Amino acid sequence: MNAMTNRKVSALAQEAGAQFVGDPEKAVAGAAPFESAGPEDITLAESPKYLKELDKTGAGAVIVPESFKDFEKYAGAERPCLLRAKNPRAVWARIMQVLYPTRHPTWGANDSMIHTGKNFRCGKDPNIGPYCVIGDDVTIGDRAVIYPLVSIGDGCVLGDDVVVYPNVTIGWGTRIGNRSVIHAGTVIGKDGFGFAPDGEKWEKIPQTGIVQIDDDVEIGALNTIDRATFGKTRIGSGVKTDNQVQIAHNVTVGENSLLVAKVGVAGSTRIGKNVIMAARSGASQHVVIGDGAVIGPTAGVAKDVPAGAVLSGAPAYDHRRWLRVQRIIPELPELKKKIDQLEKMLEKMSKKEL
Amino acid sequence: MNAMTNRKVSALAQEAGAQFVGDPEKAVAGAAPFESAGPEDITLAESPKYLKELDKTGAGAVIVPESFKDFEKYAGAERPCLLRAKNPRAVWARIMQVLYPTRHPTWGANDSMIHTGKNFRCGKDPNIGPYCVIGDDVTIGDRAVIYPLVSIGDGCVLGDDVVVYPNVTIGWGTRIGNRSVIHAGTVIGKDGFGFAPDGEKWEKIPQTGIVQIDDDVEIGALNTIDRATFGKTRIGSGVKTDNQVQIAHNVTVGENSLLVAKVGVAGSTRIGKNVIMAARSGASQHVVIGDGAVIGPTAGVAKDVPAGAVLSGAPAYDHRRWLRVQRIIPELPELKKKIDQLEKMLEKMSKKEL
Amino acid sequence: MNAMTNRKVSALAQEAGAQFVGDPEKAVAGAAPFESAGPEDITLAESPKYLKELDKTGAGAVIVPESFKDFEKYAGAERPCLLRAKNPRAVWARIMQVLYPTRHPTWGANDSMIHTGKNFRCGKDPNIGPYCVIGDDVTIGDRAVIYPLVSIGDGCVLGDDVVVYPNVTIGWGTRIGNRSVIHAGTVIGKDGFGFAPDGEKWEKIPQTGIVQIDDDVEIGALNTIDRATFGKTRIGSGVKTDNQVQIAHNVTVGENSLLVAKVGVAGSTRIGKNVIMAARSGASQHVVIGDGAVIGPTAGVAKDVPAGAVLSGAPAYDHRRWLRVQRIIPELPELKKKIDQLEKMLEKMSKKEL
């Protein structure tokens, strides 16, 4: 992807909330990693390693952390412009958003290539790809982008500036907030997995609830988010999920939580705000995970987690303890041998005593 | 989802196979959880906690277990109607099925919006959504519902009352029994993962078999069920799978087994009847899992499992032993310290002896 | 699937690179497993068990390993023809490829049922299924097969003889080499999962790179392969992935590596050539896995792996050590009891001494 146009670095700094030093007229055309950035690029130097090499970089502008002391020395035109911020990575993200705005194809909304049901309410500037199927009583907000081959069930309500990528299935009654993004192949609002054992067979428990996704959410590709048995499965605003995440019926995910690839969350579990569930981790049903908790990769949460806890392991427990345990586990054969030796020594000694 | 219409509780009880006590004319309009049920709702009280609060519920009718002794006392009109059954949850499921019958959009079968191959045989009351692609020599039973954007390969045979949700891919030769349901995005009948190493490279082993899914099966969203190398990958009648389940070539899943979210089953493994594989568990290839076995969450079955066994861990072993092991594992640092202390004590003592 | 036509076994042996003994005119119509092969079938006998039963087989021809000593005795017409090779399974695969060539439906490229953007360049003998959506500036090679319901983004380049199965989503700028196969429902070129924390919220880091898949790759169903932040996510030639594999942004997978079902690889990790990652295994971000390494089922690679290493466990370590550890773990309760007994004995002894 090429950046759209050249931008003055001093203006970018101001927009992104960073301090600026250097040539106020300096412009960049794009962003690049530290090692390969050229004079037309802005780059990011967070680590001490990169900060030491600031003079060697070919980059036209560099974002540095607040802790970088030599900031003022970079006023000269022979050196790169610097942008300094408390959170340099967030500044980097915001500047990249300006340099590389998301662009979507323009389909308009060609009635001959989409299928809409009764009572379709569509906002301003619709952009709906070919071969989309939209059910009855669907509402889609202004400037929403629906990529091709998407199925939207009856009674769904999608907000303004929503983006839905190809081959997504959205079941009846789903609500999606403003600016939320659903990546390709994801299935939202499928029946929750509810079956009652009846001797040999399983009786299906109808799933009467819906899925509600709030504002500014980004759902990864090939996620499954099931509808509630009653009420709502709820994804709070600002939540981001990676690919192949599974969220069962009646789960709540609090605001700004992050679910990394292949996470699975079982039914009725409540995940707090600003929680991070690392890749391949999971949580059992009816568990409460407190705000700000961090669940390590492959961990399995089997009981309630206090706010701010950092857990690893399956079943999961305190991460620092888990680290100590992991150092011991590969040494279990030696530990067992030592125990056997101690036992023999003791036996020998106790015989002597007799 | 709103229930379709009011129903007499006494009639619901009879249909669902439960004893009834209370006003025979009492009707309900829906079902709701115990805490929020109102006078127009039926609810379920399985736990002692809820049973103690029966008099406080606002519900119009309550399903209780056989063990509930005060059943007859609820004949009065001032109290909720009661339904009593050996398996209250199955009764609850059956009554919810009556109150909330599955409703599908009605597309008919508009030839201008679907693509069918040669020799398409379609039963009574077809209901095929827009932009479906159906291959040659396909047979679909009576009242089958094919949602939009489904691809069905050559020679497939789908039974009566089958439901296939959007964006499903069904490969050539697949057979699906009566009343079976395939949820969105699932891929059935893809080539099994068969490659022979030939020095550096991999030679593909053609997969010539099919997938057969029997009656009353429900396959979750984004499942993958691969075709056999020879013969069949077979999903027995009454099997229910959750989302993101992977079933490799030549696997057999016995009747009424339950595969919870993210389960993976490797090639040629045979799963018995009424087996439960909990979320995120898996089984190696060429393994036999006996009838009624239960595999715990995240467990990994690496060898044959006797009927009725309950296993946890990866590799999996007896669940009760696993529970004891899991209590010890986080204490390994203390255990190691104790061993070191014992060793030092012993050394000291043996030196004294000398 | 029925084989296309009868084939002379002697000719098949020559094509596949195997020694032949028996009736040079003998022909087979198909392939079958050892137990069920008939006189019209060729089969494979690799294990000593099957080799002992060679005289009992009903198969018309049998592929045997180089170690089989009685090869020459099978010249007589009353016995099956034999094919002998260093790598009998690869010969088996090559012969099955001849007997069961992949057949695809023929759609041609019906403009009224597909949607193509500007500047579409399509090679010889196009075969594009109904309801495909192809963006601007897309190039597709000779004899490529695009199944129905596929979405291909702007600027993609697909090579000759590529096969893309239904419901696949290919994002803008993706490059796919010659003869590569993408199975159903897979999502290629979705944005990498990049977000920068900014206090409470997450800022999206635009993903400007692409996915490049080289020649002779086979990608399983419901895979996710994310585009790079900068540069390329790269899948080397000859790589084969099973179903539900996740490959994050900026990952490199070396030539002829094998990723079995449900593998997850985190961002910027570099997987060497001829690596095998077994089912449900994973790798952390920024890890390097050396050529020829083997990662066991459910293992989690958390640091660099030397070439040729065989690892298991999460976090992963040497597989042989892991095997020894796994024998001890279920015995931890007994080990703990023994330690407690030793402690008591020691206490008793030290009291006596006093």
Side-chain angles (χ1 to χ4, degrees):
Chain A
M1 181 159 55
N2 298 320
M4 301 294 275
T5 173
N6 283 17
R7 293 280 190 155
K8 272 193 200 168
V9 182
S10 52
L12 288 171
Q14 194 170 14
E15 280 183 64
Q19 290 174 278
F20 174 82
V21 68
D23 176 1
E25 297 304 314
K26 170 72 188 175
V28 288
F34 191 84
E35 292 89 346
S36 59
E40 301 270 282
D41 293 322
I42 189 167
T43 192
L44 172 68
E46 275 187 304
S47 66
K49 184 192 151 203
Y50 286 159
L51 289 169
K52 273 182 208 158
E53 295 177 2
L54 267 192
D55 286 329
K56 296 182 200 160
T57 181
V62 185
I63 305 165
V64 299
E66 222 168 35
S67 59
F68 184 68
K69 299 296 172 205
D70 294 338
F71 183 64
E72 301 298 343
K73 297 182 185 165
Y74 282 76
E78 74 285 359
R79 289 178 138 181
C81 302
L82 291 196
L83 297 84
R84 190 165 68 169
K86 192 178 163 189
N87 195 333
R89 185 161 287 264
V91 165
W92 168 242
R94 282 192 286 262
I95 288 176
M96 281 193 68
Q97 289 165 20
V98 174
L99 292 171
Y100 304 95
T102 309
R103 285 173 291 178
H104 301 290
T106 308
W107 298 285
N110 183 341
D111 282 345
S112 73
M113 297 195 92
I114 61 177
H115 184 275
T116 50
K118 285 175 280 184
N119 198 20
F120 176 41
R121 286 177 298 265
C122 189
K124 279 184 287 184
D125 304 326
N127 192 10
I128 303 177
Y131 315 126
C132 282
V133 180
I134 295 172
D136 293 342
D137 304 306
V138 170
T139 298
I140 293 181
D142 296 345
R143 298 168 305 276
V145 181
I146 314 293
Y147 272 74
L149 302 163
V150 167
S151 172
I152 300 178
D154 293 349
C156 289
V157 178
L158 279 62
D160 296 339
D161 303 293
V162 159
V163 180
V164 181
Y165 282 93
N167 285 303
V168 165
T169 300
I170 301 178
W172 60 262
T174 299
R175 305 183 86 85
I176 300 180
N178 299 319
R179 296 171 303 280
S180 287
V181 175
I182 314 294
H183 283 285
T186 280
V187 176
I188 296 174
K190 171 241 170 196
D191 285 347
F193 191 64
F195 294 93
D198 180 27
E200 292 274 295
K201 295 188 177 179
W202 298 94
E203 287 281 1
K204 182 175 175 77
I205 300 172
Q207 305 289 307
T208 71
I210 64 162
V211 173
Q212 178 174 330
I213 293 173
D214 290 341
D215 295 343
D216 300 302
V217 171
E218 188 158 338
I219 299 293
L222 299 180
N223 279 215
T224 42
I225 306 179
D226 284 357
R227 69 172 64 254
T229 311
F230 297 107
K232 292 173 182 176
T233 302
R234 178 93 179 255
I235 312 296
S237 65
V239 167
K240 314 294 180 188
T241 75
D242 200 343
N243 300 329
Q244 302 189 24
V245 168
Q246 146 76 358
I247 297 176
H249 47 180
N250 294 85
V251 165
T252 302
V253 183
E255 291 173 25
N256 299 314
S257 285
L258 207 71
L259 275 58
V260 186
K262 289 187 173 280
V263 160
V265 183
S268 300
T269 280
R270 280 161 46 206
I271 299 176
K273 299 177 185 179
N274 295 96
V275 169
I276 295 176
M277 292 188 71
R280 301 166 73 219
S281 67
S284 298
Q285 52 192 358
H286 292 283
V287 159
V288 177
I289 301 182
D291 293 350
V294 176
I295 312 300
T298 81
V301 174
K303 55 182 185 188
D304 290 0
V305 175
V310 181
L311 303 189
S312 287
Y317 53 92
D318 177 68
H319 175 69
R320 282 161 306 180
R321 174 167 284 272
W322 178 83
L323 283 175
R324 289 166 63 200
V325 169
Q326 293 315 311
R327 279 193 293 269
I328 296 173
I329 281 184
E331 294 169 19
L332 278 176
E334 285 76 14
L335 217 60
K336 188 181 190 307
K337 196 179 278 183
K338 194 187 272 191
I339 294 165
D340 292 342
Q341 287 171 342
L342 291 178
E343 193 181 28
K344 276 180 202 156
M345 279 178 71
L346 255 176
E347 277 173 14
K348 221 168 140 185
M349 285 174 67
S350 65
K351 273 181 198 164
K352 268 195 199 174
E353 283 194 25
L354 297 177
Chain B
M1 181 159 54
N2 297 320
M4 301 294 277
T5 173
N6 283 18
R7 293 280 190 156
K8 271 192 200 170
V9 183
S10 51
L12 288 171
Q14 195 170 13
E15 279 183 67
Q19 289 174 280
F20 174 80
V21 68
D23 176 2
E25 298 303 314
K26 171 71 188 175
V28 289
F34 190 84
E35 293 87 348
S36 60
E40 301 270 281
D41 293 323
I42 189 167
T43 192
L44 171 67
E46 275 187 303
S47 66
K49 184 192 150 201
Y50 286 158
L51 289 170
K52 275 183 206 159
E53 294 178 2
L54 266 192
D55 287 329
K56 294 181 201 160
T57 180
V62 185
I63 304 165
V64 299
E66 222 169 34
S67 59
F68 184 68
K69 297 297 172 204
D70 294 337
F71 183 64
E72 301 298 343
K73 297 182 187 166
Y74 281 75
E78 74 285 0
R79 290 178 139 181
C81 302
L82 291 196
L83 296 84
R84 191 166 66 170
K86 191 176 163 190
N87 195 334
R89 185 161 286 264
V91 165
W92 169 242
R94 282 192 286 262
I95 288 176
M96 282 192 68
Q97 288 165 20
V98 174
L99 293 171
Y100 303 94
T102 309
R103 286 172 292 179
H104 301 291
T106 308
W107 296 285
N110 184 340
D111 282 346
S112 73
M113 297 195 91
I114 61 177
H115 184 275
T116 50
K118 284 175 280 183
N119 198 20
F120 176 41
R121 287 176 297 264
C122 189
K124 281 185 287 186
D125 304 326
N127 192 11
I128 303 178
Y131 315 126
C132 282
V133 180
I134 296 173
D136 294 341
D137 304 306
V138 170
T139 299
I140 292 182
D142 296 345
R143 297 168 305 277
V145 181
I146 313 294
Y147 272 73
L149 302 164
V150 167
S151 171
I152 300 179
D154 293 349
C156 290
V157 178
L158 279 63
D160 296 340
D161 303 293
V162 158
V163 179
V164 182
Y165 282 93
N167 285 304
V168 165
T169 300
I170 301 177
W172 60 262
T174 299
R175 305 183 86 86
I176 300 181
N178 299 319
R179 297 171 302 280
S180 286
V181 175
I182 313 295
H183 282 285
T186 282
V187 176
I188 297 173
K190 171 240 167 198
D191 284 348
F193 191 64
F195 295 93
D198 180 29
E200 293 273 296
K201 294 190 179 179
W202 299 94
E203 287 281 1
K204 182 174 175 77
I205 301 172
Q207 306 289 307
T208 71
I210 64 161
V211 173
Q212 178 173 329
I213 293 174
D214 292 340
D215 296 343
D216 300 301
V217 171
E218 188 158 338
I219 299 293
L222 299 181
N223 279 214
T224 41
I225 306 179
D226 283 357
R227 68 173 65 254
T229 312
F230 297 107
K232 292 174 183 176
T233 302
R234 178 90 179 257
I235 312 296
S237 64
V239 167
K240 315 293 179 188
T241 75
D242 201 342
N243 299 329
Q244 301 188 26
V245 168
Q246 145 76 358
I247 297 175
H249 48 180
N250 292 86
V251 165
T252 302
V253 184
E255 292 173 23
N256 299 312
S257 285
L258 207 71
L259 275 57
V260 186
K262 289 186 173 283
V263 161
V265 183
S268 300
T269 281
R270 281 161 44 205
I271 298 176
K273 300 176 184 180
N274 295 95
V275 169
I276 294 176
M277 292 187 72
R280 301 165 72 218
S281 68
S284 297
Q285 53 191 358
H286 291 285
V287 158
V288 177
I289 300 182
D291 293 351
V294 176
I295 312 301
T298 81
V301 173
K303 56 182 184 186
D304 289 1
V305 176
V310 181
L311 303 189
S312 286
Y317 53 92
D318 177 68
H319 176 69
R320 281 162 306 181
R321 175 168 284 273
W322 178 84
L323 282 175
R324 290 166 62 201
V325 169
Q326 293 314 310
R327 279 193 293 270
I328 297 172
I329 280 183
E331 294 169 20
L332 277 176
E334 286 75 16
L335 216 62
K336 187 180 190 306
K337 195 178 278 183
K338 195 187 271 189
I339 294 165
D340 292 343
Q341 287 171 340
L342 291 178
E343 192 181 28
K344 277 179 201 158
M345 280 178 70
L346 256 176
E347 276 173 15
K348 222 168 137 185
M349 285 173 67
S350 67
K351 273 182 198 164
K352 267 196 199 172
E353 283 193 25
L354 297 178
Chain C
M1 181 159 55
N2 298 318
M4 301 294 275
T5 174
N6 284 17
R7 293 282 191 153
K8 271 193 201 172
V9 182
S10 52
L12 288 171
Q14 195 170 14
E15 279 183 67
Q19 291 174 279
F20 175 81
V21 68
D23 176 2
E25 297 303 313
K26 170 73 187 174
V28 288
F34 191 83
E35 292 89 346
S36 59
E40 302 269 281
D41 293 322
I42 187 167
T43 193
L44 172 67
E46 274 186 304
S47 66
K49 185 192 149 202
Y50 286 158
L51 289 170
K52 275 182 205 158
E53 295 179 2
L54 266 193
D55 286 328
K56 294 182 201 159
T57 180
V62 185
I63 304 165
V64 299
E66 222 169 34
S67 58
F68 183 68
K69 298 296 171 205
D70 295 336
F71 184 65
E72 302 298 342
K73 297 181 186 165
Y74 282 74
E78 75 286 359
R79 289 179 138 180
C81 302
L82 291 195
L83 297 83
R84 192 165 67 170
K86 191 178 164 190
N87 196 334
R89 184 161 287 264
V91 165
W92 169 242
R94 282 192 285 263
I95 288 176
M96 281 193 67
Q97 288 166 20
V98 174
L99 293 171
Y100 304 95
T102 308
R103 285 173 291 178
H104 302 291
T106 308
W107 296 286
N110 184 341
D111 282 347
S112 74
M113 298 195 90
I114 61 176
H115 184 275
T116 50
K118 285 174 280 183
N119 198 19
F120 177 41
R121 288 175 297 265
C122 189
K124 279 185 288 184
D125 304 326
N127 192 11
I128 303 177
Y131 315 126
C132 281
V133 180
I134 295 172
D136 293 341
D137 305 306
V138 170
T139 299
I140 292 182
D142 296 345
R143 297 167 305 276
V145 182
I146 313 294
Y147 272 74
L149 302 163
V150 167
S151 171
I152 300 178
D154 293 349
C156 290
V157 179
L158 279 62
D160 296 339
D161 302 293
V162 159
V163 180
V164 181
Y165 282 94
N167 285 303
V168 165
T169 299
I170 301 178
W172 60 262
T174 300
R175 306 183 85 86
I176 300 180
N178 299 319
R179 296 171 303 280
S180 287
V181 174
I182 314 294
H183 283 284
T186 281
V187 176
I188 297 174
K190 171 238 168 199
D191 284 347
F193 191 64
F195 295 92
D198 180 27
E200 292 273 296
K201 295 191 180 179
W202 297 94
E203 287 282 2
K204 182 174 175 80
I205 300 172
Q207 306 289 308
T208 71
I210 63 160
V211 173
Q212 178 174 330
I213 293 174
D214 291 340
D215 296 342
D216 300 301
V217 170
E218 189 157 338
I219 299 293
L222 299 180
N223 279 215
T224 41
I225 306 179
D226 284 358
R227 69 173 65 255
T229 312
F230 296 106
K232 293 173 181 177
T233 303
R234 178 92 179 256
I235 312 295
S237 65
V239 167
K240 315 294 180 189
T241 74
D242 200 343
N243 299 329
Q244 301 188 25
V245 168
Q246 146 75 358
I247 297 175
H249 47 180
N250 293 86
V251 166
T252 302
V253 183
E255 291 173 25
N256 298 313
S257 285
L258 208 71
L259 275 57
V260 186
K262 289 185 173 282
V263 161
V265 183
S268 300
T269 281
R270 281 160 46 204
I271 298 176
K273 299 177 185 179
N274 295 95
V275 169
I276 295 177
M277 291 188 71
R280 301 166 72 219
S281 67
S284 297
Q285 52 192 357
H286 292 284
V287 158
V288 177
I289 300 182
D291 293 350
V294 177
I295 312 300
T298 81
V301 174
K303 55 182 185 186
D304 289 0
V305 175
V310 181
L311 303 188
S312 287
Y317 54 92
D318 177 68
H319 176 69
R320 280 161 306 180
R321 175 166 284 272
W322 178 85
L323 282 175
R324 289 167 62 202
V325 169
Q326 293 314 311
R327 279 193 294 269
I328 297 174
I329 280 184
E331 293 168 20
L332 277 176
E334 286 76 13
L335 216 61
K336 187 181 191 306
K337 195 178 277 183
K338 194 187 272 190
I339 294 165
D340 291 344
Q341 287 171 342
L342 291 178
E343 193 181 28
K344 276 180 202 157
M345 279 178 71
L346 255 176
E347 276 174 15
K348 223 167 137 184
M349 285 173 68
S350 65
K351 273 181 199 165
K352 268 195 200 173
E353 282 193 26
L354 297 179

